[in-house]
Amino acid sequence: MGRYITRRVLQGFLTLFLVMFLLHLLTTLAIQLNGNPAQAFFGDRTPSPSQLAAVETRYGLDDPCYDQLGNPCIGPFVERLGDYAQGDFGESLRGRPVTDIVSTAAPNTLRLFVVVTITWLAIGMTLGGIAARRRGKASDHGIRGLSILIDALPIFVLLLVYKYIFSVPLSRWAKDTFGSDSLPALLFKPSFSPQHAWATLIVPGILLGLAGSAAFIRLVRAAQLETYNADHVRTARSKGLSERHVSRHHVVRNSAIPVVTAVGIVFTEALAGAVITEGMMNIYGMGGVLWKAVQDSDVSVVIGVVTLLAAVTVVVMLVVDVVYAALDPRIRYE
Amino acid sequence: MTTDPTRDGTPVPLLQVDDLAIEFATPDGVVRAVDGLSYSVSAGRTLAIVGESGSGKSVSSLAVMGLLQQPPARIVRGSIRFGGTELLSLGQKAHRAVCGENIAMVFQDALAALNPVHTVGWQLTEALRARHGMSRRDATARAVELLDLVKVPNAKQRVKEYPHQFSGGMRQRVMIAMALSMDPEVLIADEPTTALDVTVQAQIMRLLSEIQAERQMGLILITHDMGVVANVADDVTVMYAGRAVEQASVFDIYAAPAHPYTRALLGSIPRLDQKGGGLAVIPGRPPDPTQVPAGCAFHPRCAFAEDVCRADPPPPTVSLPFDRTSACHFAEEVMNHDEH
């Protein structure tokens, strides 16, 4: 088990390094093609050459390689790795440290992801489990139809409908009934409030989770159906155990393995959904920060945020792998 | 539940199956997998149910255990009694409660039949913990005892391991230990030695018959291996296309088979005491269950078949001397036919 985890951690570092290098190559190429982003610092004004040079130096853009199309700029990359290793992630064009931006934005995105993951698992396990148990009956067909319906409703449609049709009247009603700082009023608040980060994130998180839950419903159903017919489940039944016991300890337990794997894979998709959700619900999170940084050509922020997102993804994959090993003893010693 | 052995000389049957008929709904129509099967097992006796795959031998034992998926399966008629209780009228929940406790089953292919994600010890005592509320510590001790019983070496360590860490033979021993965990009175072993190599097969069969003799269990051995039958069985039921074609004591059936199918089966065993070229094979294949031939289902492959076999199904049981039956128009002729 220890060796398994060590190997996975090392693989994770390698992945992270490759992501950073690829990101570096792409941003370098973008700078070489589009011109110096230090220009963006001055907005409409035309800087004097000395001002421009000063800004370039400050943001590490003074290396001549940025003017040579096709140069991979290994020098600045090594420099940046060294800075990152010392905890220096650079500053945004407005002079705010990237670490500061990230430490404000990341918790909100992570909160969103927590709600999203719980929603996936709750909806997927419940509905998928019911559909598998009642295979071929009306509830099974209904749940499968529902999963297709969910697929047909992209996250921005769900959010638009929620925000403009449900959120305002619901929050007004909750405010009048329970008071403006009560939990129901915060839950249905149409936009994010940093003072009540959890409460105002729950509904958007559930909606984002709901949008991604269709795949889970179908996956859980398929995994459990397969397990219901497995020989070892028949063995368990032959011991005279109750159907509930068999279901919990043999069917759900064994079909959890593919479901956990899927969490890791779908997680990366949720990152894309988070950009939209954060934008529409005014959540100050990683998606919004990244979106704005790309628009502003804010190289340090883009690289810092994407690196962090890549690191989070690598960590999630690692956790999934470890959970996978814990769930299935057969892979521990491979 | 009665375990009364022989008080007046005749053993009381523990498990009695009467006129059992099972159908399956398939896309190609209804298939009759078992048709009019009857047998009984008494304490300390071994009944071998022999037949090719698809002959209904496994399906009938799943019905005894209440493990048939209904639908597609449907029990059309018949009765399954355990110690005087009619299992078929119990309802699935109560039926299964009898199983495990009173009737247990050893499945073929232990690798698939054991849950890969739980330790062997956990699975061995699962029923004891879930149904009898045994504590975790007692359960571990009991699991070690059970592994010792089936002669798995180093049982203390091995209860903590997972099925994939066991060899094929050891896994099958685990299956047997698991079936014994609730001290059943009847044990059904469904091809317990398929997928094992020959020496291990012999060990497993010896272990099974030792345990059976020690505990005076009724044992139902489902197999297609006539060699195994000769070694361990007391009574034999031969099945073909869902019917019991011949039922007799093991001695009688080997001495003089009274059904052409049994005869052909025995003829196809390799023997050490006879020099010879090729093995005898039964021509043709078992019938497609959706298209069982008219008349006697075995007639297209039968060396004794005459016109009557093609036209009329044989009587389900032709009674013969020594309390044996055969479903053949020419049962007596076959029995008295001298081959050697």
Side-chain angles (χ1 to χ4, degrees):
Chain A
M1 193 70 179
R3 269 186 58 194
Y4 176 80
I5 294 175
T6 316
R7 214 172 57 206
R8 294 315 243 166
V9 170
L10 290 177
Q11 278 175 2
F13 274 116
L14 180 68
T15 312
L16 200 57
F17 174 79
L18 288 176
V19 166
M20 285 173 68
F21 188 58
L22 192 65
L23 188 65
H24 168 78
L25 288 182
L26 288 173
T27 44
T28 305
L29 195 63
I31 291 169
Q32 285 163 350
L33 287 172
N34 293 338
N36 198 328
Q39 294 275 7
F41 184 82
F42 299 99
D44 291 343
R45 289 179 295 125
T46 317
S48 69
S50 63
Q51 281 176 317
L52 190 63
V55 171
E56 280 183 345
T57 317
R58 186 169 163 199
Y59 293 107
L61 295 166
D62 51 348
D63 199 289
C65 73
Y66 286 116
D67 297 328
Q68 299 153 9
L69 185 62
N71 189 326
C73 288
I74 300 297
F77 178 62
V78 174
E79 222 170 273
R80 183 180 304 125
L81 282 186
D83 287 346
Y84 277 19
Q86 287 161 17
D88 176 10
F89 287 80
E91 293 179 346
S92 76
L93 290 180
R94 297 217 175 86
R96 201 173 157 202
V98 171
T99 43
D100 185 33
I101 297 176
V102 164
S103 63
T104 325
N108 292 334
T109 302
L110 291 179
R111 282 189 191 108
L112 193 64
F113 279 165
V114 168
V115 179
V116 167
T117 310
I118 292 173
T119 312
W120 279 344
L121 291 178
I123 295 181
M125 296 297 269
T126 315
L127 293 186
I130 293 172
R133 231 181 345 265
R134 309 187 55 80
R135 177 191 197 172
K137 299 196 176 139
S139 40
D140 179 22
H141 292 303
I143 287 168
R144 278 193 289 167
L146 182 73
S147 82
I148 293 166
L149 188 72
I150 292 171
D151 262 350
L153 284 174
I155 176 63
F156 54 88
V157 175
L158 282 180
L159 284 171
L160 274 176
V161 170
Y162 168 68
K163 192 169 170 178
Y164 292 108
I165 299 180
F166 292 102
S167 165
V168 174
L170 277 174
S171 65
R172 186 170 301 153
W173 165 80
K175 257 185 213 158
D176 293 347
T177 322
F178 304 105
S180 64
D181 257 357
S182 65
L183 185 65
L186 290 171
L187 275 182
F188 297 119
K189 214 168 140 65
S191 67
F192 175 71
S193 134
Q195 287 85 42
H196 304 284
W198 276 112
T200 47
L201 270 171
I202 286 177
V203 174
I206 289 176
L207 287 176
L208 182 55
L210 181 70
S213 65
F216 273 92
I217 296 175
R218 289 192 292 261
L219 181 77
V220 169
R221 178 180 177 274
Q224 292 202 2
L225 268 185
E226 201 182 305
T227 319
Y228 267 112
N229 294 323
D231 280 1
H232 66 81
V233 172
R234 190 180 59 187
T235 310
R237 292 202 179 108
S238 82
K239 298 178 190 172
L241 301 162
S242 68
E243 202 53 39
R244 222 181 107 175
H245 178 103
V246 172
S247 181
R248 183 185 308 164
H249 292 279
H250 295 273
V251 177
V252 174
R253 172 72 175 74
N254 286 58
S255 57
I257 296 161
V259 176
V260 167
T261 317
V263 171
I265 295 164
V266 184
F267 187 83
T268 47
E269 271 174 48
L271 281 174
V275 175
I276 298 168
T277 311
E278 287 173 1
M280 289 195 56
M281 301 304 292
N282 309 323
I283 298 165
Y284 186 71
M286 303 291 276
V289 167
L290 185 60
W291 181 243
K292 193 151 185 327
V294 170
Q295 281 180 326
D296 295 351
S297 297
D298 202 334
V299 177
S300 313
V301 178
V302 171
I303 294 183
V305 170
V306 173
T307 305
L308 186 89
L309 289 180
V312 169
T313 309
V314 165
V315 169
V316 168
M317 293 294 194
L318 184 70
V319 169
V320 164
D321 276 341
V322 171
V323 172
Y324 189 34
L327 283 176
D328 190 346
R330 282 168 300 183
I331 61 158
R332 275 176 220 176
Y333 303 92
E334 267 171 20
Chain B
M1 306 282 141
T2 96
T3 17
D4 259 314
T6 58
R7 190 149 306 160
D8 54 350
T10 42
V12 183
L14 279 171
L15 178 71
Q16 202 161 4
V17 173
D18 261 317
D19 196 27
L20 184 67
I22 301 166
E23 284 179 351
F24 279 87
T26 72
D28 301 331
V30 174
V31 170
R32 181 77 33 131
V34 178
D35 198 356
L37 176 68
S38 306
Y39 62 74
S40 66
V41 205
S42 315
R45 301 278 287 182
T46 301
L47 167 72
I49 302 181
V50 189
E52 287 162 289
S53 22
S55 61
K57 54 196 195 315
S58 292
V59 171
S60 55
S61 51
L62 290 179
V64 171
M65 296 296 290
L67 292 174
L68 277 182
Q69 286 238 346
Q70 305 188 50
R74 191 169 76 87
I75 295 177
V76 185
R77 58 166 204 274
S79 108
I80 299 171
R81 266 173 316 199
F82 177 80
T85 315
E86 174 57 58
L87 299 184
L88 291 182
S89 57
L90 277 181
Q92 197 189 49
K93 215 171 163 188
H95 186 170
R96 286 219 187 123
V98 171
C99 298
E101 191 88 56
N102 303 102
I103 312 173
M105 188 154 173
V106 174
F107 293 92
Q108 56 177 312
D109 189 5
L111 182 59
L114 291 168
N115 190 328
V117 308
H118 295 298
T119 63
V120 159
W122 190 92
Q123 294 185 63
L124 277 171
T125 54
E126 183 184 10
L128 289 169
R129 282 177 289 111
R131 295 182 56 184
H132 291 189
M134 189 183 253
S135 73
R136 204 169 268 259
R137 182 186 295 173
D138 291 350
T140 310
R142 177 78 178 129
V144 174
E145 266 172 42
L146 284 165
L147 281 195
D148 277 335
L149 178 77
V150 293
K151 299 182 181 135
V152 171
N154 203 6
K156 243 196 178 103
Q157 288 303 309
R158 303 224 75 178
V159 288
K160 294 178 209 143
E161 293 181 9
Y162 292 89
H164 71 276
Q165 292 166 280
F166 282 66
S167 67
M170 288 299 153
R171 264 198 300 265
Q172 196 53 265
R173 284 168 196 264
V174 170
M175 276 291 334
I176 294 170
M178 207 159 83
L180 296 174
S181 70
M182 310 272 283
D183 294 316
E185 288 147 79
V186 175
L187 187 68
I188 303 177
D190 184 1
E191 310 218 16
T193 59
T194 32
L196 298 178
D197 61 54
V198 185
T199 44
V200 180
Q201 282 188 13
Q203 290 166 8
I204 296 287
M205 283 320 302
R206 198 177 314 134
L207 176 75
L208 260 180
S209 41
E210 273 172 25
I211 290 172
Q212 186 230 354
E214 201 177 297
R215 302 182 157 220
Q216 285 298 298
M217 283 187 306
L219 176 65
I220 298 177
L221 181 68
I222 297 166
T223 180
H224 51 242
D225 186 340
M226 288 302 270
V228 169
V229 173
N231 287 329
V232 297
D234 299 305
D235 306 294
V236 182
T237 293
V238 181
M239 288 190 75
Y240 189 79
R243 289 165 183 271
V245 290
E246 181 167 5
Q247 298 185 288
S249 78
V250 71
F251 177 80
D252 292 334
I253 221 164
Y254 278 77
H259 192 282
Y261 178 59
T262 320
R263 193 180 182 86
L265 274 184
L266 291 173
S268 56
I269 307 175
R271 296 177 64 140
L272 286 175
D273 57 348
Q274 278 177 5
K275 252 191 166 175
L279 279 173
V281 279
I282 307 177
R285 283 200 258 153
D288 176 347
T290 54
Q291 289 161 7
V292 181
C296 171
F298 188 61
H299 84 253
R301 309 171 70 187
C302 181
F304 296 80
E306 306 219 349
D307 285 343
V308 61
C309 303
R310 289 173 200 104
D312 302 324
T317 51
V318 176
S319 293
L320 297 165
F322 307 112
D323 210 15
R324 55 190 295 195
T325 61
S326 164
C328 179
H329 290 292
F330 305 105
E332 300 224 22
E333 288 90 325
V334 174
M335 190 171 68
N336 299 323
H337 183 89
D338 213 320
E339 186 188 28
H340 311 302

